Amino acid sequence: VAAGGRVGGVPEGHLIHHHARRHRAGLVGAERISSPQRRFPAHRVTGRLVDVDAHGKHLAHRWSDGAVVHVHLGKQGVLLDGPSPPPEPMPQVRMRVEGPALYTDLIAPMVCEVLDEDGWEAVRATLGPDPLREDADVDRVLAALVATSSPIGVALMDQAILAGVGNALRADVLNLVDVHPATPSDRLDEGRRRRLWDELVALMRTAAEAGAIPHTVYRQERCPRCGTPVQTGDVGGRTAYWCPLHQPPPDA
Ligand SMILES: [Zn+2]
């Protein structure tokens, strides 16, 4: 019932939005929240689940008593969604929410805390626009990308510039727009930056729907567009993947 396994890395924004959609559809109305592991103060949350929000890699459950439960999965965390009624919980379940149609078990998150609306807004204030949110301010992202000479592969993963992109999404979207990940961000012209945003929105929407990214070059042998072997290298401390034909390195 988990939404796709993963090999290392923090789940990216598409997966958080994938869970958020399922929770909106099947978990809203839930009145039962518990912590089988006892490491989350579930007794502080009362009433019923009224809404689910997501921004980048952050998930929020809004409850009728004003509590906002903020979750960030981090590297180890996982959400297991399944049809109600749930089985006996595993002892390592940090938080279980049981709704009319769906339950979710949260295991090993980096963050699982009770905030209020102001607290959730404070979390969101640290984040750049999220390509999967209707309220995303594209001009703010494009301005931030032209204001930095960091490699575009680094800028894309800076959650303060835009929220939700990790190592896989950066690799695949840069292949789609024919940009090498080491290209200085401020060297992309206006048209290319706008196309990068548009492709990212489309890719993340598809991935959020499916719960998985349709990879082009991330952890792939060959570029699916031309068959050239994919190259790898370090960009910003993470392994980058690119097609040497479609994405030539920037001029020195
Ligand atoms: Zn190629």
Side-chain angles (χ1 to χ4, degrees), residues 28-48:
V28 164
E31 296 179 340
R32 302 182 69 172
I33 178 169
S34 60
S35 181
Q37 191 190 34
R38 296 172 180 270
R39 282 185 57 195
F40 168 72
H43 62 275
R44 286 178 50 203
V45 181
T46 56
R48 36 190 285 282

Side-chain angles (χ1 to χ4, degrees), residues 175 223 225-228 243 245-246:
N175 177 260
C223 173
R225 299 159 64 202
C226 67
T228 304
C243 166
L245 186 67
H246 278 108

Side-chain angles (χ1 to χ4, degrees), residues 2-7:
R6 66 179 196 270
V7 190

Side-chain angles (χ1 to χ4, degrees), residues 207-224:
E209 186 69 35
I213 303 166
H215 293 306
T216 57
V217 291
Y218 179 73
R219 292 178 183 267
Q220 305 300 303
E221 294 277 324
R222 292 175 183 279
C223 173

